[in-house]
Amino acid sequence: MKNTIIAIFALSFMSVSHAAYKLYIPLEQPNGGSLPNGTIQIKPRSPGISAESWRVTDPLYGEWINVGGIYGCSNWGPDPSTQTIGVTFDQTATDCKQDQTTTKQEREQETTTLVYRNIGEPSIESKSVAVHSTRKVTGTKENWQAAEPLYGEWVNNGAVYGCSNWAPAPTSMLKDEPYNQTATDCKQDQSRTKQDREQETTTLEYRNVGLPVPENHTISVNSSRPSNGLASCVYNVDVINNYWYASAISNYLQVVVNGVAIKYQTNYTSTSITVNGVRYKRGALIKDNFYEVCK
């Protein structure tokens, strides 16, 4: 009877929910049915597991990784020409590029359990980002200042000239006697080159400014020259400088030139003598066996 009530209740429920269907339930024997008691068992029906619902969701990305080196830098600054020569400094460029890659994993998510699952294999994505770069550079800015000029040696131009105070005078020397005359008021023209220069204050390097220019001046010099005496004969017995003495009484000859006795000999009749390659002659009688000395 209990089973019959449950069956009737189920039939009433089904009739409401599904009017197009009919439910036939065999009766067990106590109620006039043909089936043994206990043959029909009606158990409560468990709720069915609903179907999964997946939707595409945000991909999963890896970290961006640099590929290769930085490139494309062009606006390096400051310029080496603005920095002191030889000094090392940091130069920076702000327009450089860096290639990067990452992995992208497509995913979907179950709407009820919120579980994620991958869609296919990971793919690679690439991009190029703007970066800065720094490098060590040496300055090239030079600072030049005027330096001492570079001079050449003074070189004589032409011969000595302008001499006027030659001494001793030829008329003061015995005739044809060779000697050196000296002048102290002579002049000598000279020239040299002057090269203007400048110096770099850091490296201390020199460089020329323009072409060498000539410089000239005139200096006072002494000069000497060979000469010959012009006095044909000289005599000065009072100071015993120059004389020719010939004595017939003692048959004696003495010749004094410039205060020096250059010849003693007998045979007073000699009228010429040669001393050290110079030929001296007896000149006119002055007095008392004293004669002029001539050359």
Side-chain angles (χ1 to χ4, degrees):
M1 185 62 181
K2 178 181 178 182
N3 291 337
T4 302
I5 294 173
I6 292 173
I8 295 171
F9 176 77
L11 177 59
S12 301
F13 178 79
M14 293 297 295
S15 300
V16 173
S17 301
H18 303 284
Y21 296 90
K22 293 181 179 180
L23 178 64
Y24 295 93
I25 300 176
L27 298 178
E28 294 180 356
Q29 287 181 354
N31 297 313
S34 60
L35 298 175
N37 289 335
T39 300
I40 298 174
Q41 296 182 1
I42 299 175
K43 298 181 179 180
R45 182 176 178 272
S46 298
I49 299 175
S50 60
E52 295 177 338
S53 175
W54 295 89
R55 64 177 178 85
V56 175
T57 188
D58 294 334
L60 185 64
Y61 290 95
E63 295 292 330
W64 286 103
I65 300 173
N66 292 339
V67 177
I70 295 174
Y71 66 95
C73 307
S74 64
N75 63 348
W76 293 105
D79 192 275
S81 63
T82 66
Q83 305 299 308
T84 301
I85 186 171
V87 176
T88 300
F89 66 97
D90 287 335
Q91 196 180 42
T92 301
T94 59
D95 64 344
C96 307
K97 292 180 173 56
Q98 173 67 63
D99 292 335
Q100 294 181 333
T101 62
T102 188
T103 58
K104 175 184 178 183
Q105 177 61 66
E106 298 288 354
R107 300 185 303 167
E108 57 185 5
Q109 186 181 35
E110 210 287 317
T111 57
T112 301
T113 64
L114 304 181
V115 173
Y116 290 94
R117 70 181 179 187
N118 295 339
I119 302 174
E121 297 296 325
S123 60
I124 302 297
E125 290 194 354
S126 302
K127 70 177 181 180
S128 179
V129 296
V131 295
H132 293 183
S133 184
T134 301
R135 64 184 181 185
K136 295 291 185 182
V137 181
T138 301
T140 60
K141 181 182 179 181
E142 298 175 343
N143 181 27
W144 294 92
Q145 294 184 353
E148 288 293 326
L150 189 64
Y151 293 97
E153 295 292 331
W154 285 109
V155 178
N156 292 338
N157 289 335
V160 174
Y161 67 95
C163 307
S164 63
N165 61 351
W166 292 106
T171 56
S172 68
M173 307 300 291
L174 289 175
K175 183 180 179 180
D176 299 328
E177 180 180 359
Y179 71 99
N180 284 329
Q181 263 190 326
T182 300
T184 58
D185 64 344
C186 307
K187 292 179 172 53
Q188 174 66 64
D189 293 334
Q190 293 184 327
S191 64
R192 69 178 179 181
T193 58
K194 175 187 177 183
Q195 177 62 67
D196 288 322
R197 301 185 302 166
E198 57 187 8
Q199 186 178 37
E200 209 289 315
T201 56
T202 301
T203 64
L204 304 183
E205 178 186 358
Y206 287 94
R207 70 181 180 188
N208 294 338
V209 179
L211 297 175
V213 294
E215 289 190 340
N216 302 290
H217 72 180
T218 300
I219 60 174
S220 296
V221 294
N222 296 342
S223 183
S224 64
R225 66 184 180 183
S227 185
N228 290 310
L230 296 178
S232 58
C233 300
V234 294
Y235 171 78
N236 192 340
V237 72
D238 294 334
V239 294
I240 317 177
N241 277 338
N242 299 284
Y243 63 84
W244 186 295
Y245 174 76
S247 174
I249 297 174
S250 59
N251 192 27
Y252 178 72
L253 172 69
Q254 182 181 26
V255 180
V256 176
V257 176
N258 293 331
V260 177
I262 63 172
K263 189 70 174 181
Y264 300 95
Q265 71 175 36
T266 57
N267 188 7
Y268 77 97
T269 60
S270 297
T271 59
S272 68
I273 60 175
T274 299
V275 178
N276 296 327
V278 179
R279 186 170 179 263
Y280 295 89
K281 297 180 293 181
R282 186 180 72 180
L285 175 64
I286 301 301
K287 65 177 181 175
D288 302 329
N289 298 325
F290 286 93
Y291 298 84
E292 293 177 328
V293 179
C294 304
K295 289 202 302 182

